[in-house]
Amino acid sequence: MVAGPIARIVAQAIVIGAGIVSRAFLQAYQQAAAQAKAGGGAKAAQEAAKRTLRNKMSEDEAMKILNLDSKPKTMSEVIAQYDKYFAANDPKKGGSFYLQSKIHRARETLQSTLEEVEEKETKKSSE
């Protein structure tokens, strides 16, 4: 006897929940279709891909990670800080692999920046 009313309440809850979920899914699908027609989805995907392919770390962030107060003039300044912090964060010595990877990315970012500056100076001097 008791199982009948409880079963009916549970069934109603399931039906109501399914209706809510299906309406939300339909609304999300309609919104996605409208954005696709407007070209917003493809453009957003292209921008995300560009961000992924570029250096994610800013030069400012790289300088903070390597504890550089001013913009380095030579790669030797960057390498000195890199070696110091990379060794200090060695996982075998209780350091963090995550921090080591951040330090490595910071060195890469500053290295590419210094190479770009060097290329510009070389082009200027050759003109």
Side-chain angles (χ1 to χ4, degrees):
M1 262 335 240
V2 177
I6 293 175
R8 189 177 62 194
I9 292 171
V10 169
Q12 284 178 342
I14 290 173
V15 169
I16 291 171
I20 291 170
V21 169
S22 65
R23 274 184 262 139
F25 180 78
L26 180 63
Q27 189 177 20
Y29 177 78
Q30 288 172 342
Q31 186 179 11
Q35 285 178 346
K37 278 185 181 178
K43 189 174 183 179
Q46 284 177 337
E47 290 299 317
K50 284 180 185 177
R51 279 194 307 272
T52 302
L53 294 174
R54 289 190 302 233
N55 281 341
K56 293 179 186 176
M57 187 177 293
S58 69
E59 187 178 343
D60 223 19
E61 183 182 1
M63 288 172 48
K64 287 178 185 175
I65 288 171
L66 291 177
N67 199 23
L68 294 167
D69 294 329
S70 60
K71 188 172 178 179
K73 305 245 186 296
T74 64
M75 194 59 198
S76 61
E77 294 175 49
V78 174
I79 290 174
Q81 291 296 92
Y82 167 80
D83 288 340
K84 175 182 171 183
Y85 290 116
F86 195 82
N89 286 290
D90 188 358
K92 293 176 185 171
K93 298 178 184 174
S96 165
F97 178 75
Y98 172 76
L99 290 177
Q100 265 193 336
S101 67
K102 292 292 269 186
I103 292 163
H104 182 74
R105 296 292 170 233
R107 183 192 58 83
E108 284 181 337
T109 300
L110 292 175
Q111 182 178 1
S112 67
T113 302
L114 286 172
E115 287 172 354
E116 288 173 9
V117 168
E118 190 177 297
E119 281 180 25
K120 288 179 184 177
E121 288 177 356
T122 305
K123 284 183 182 179
K124 279 185 180 180
S125 63
S126 66
E127 290 177 351

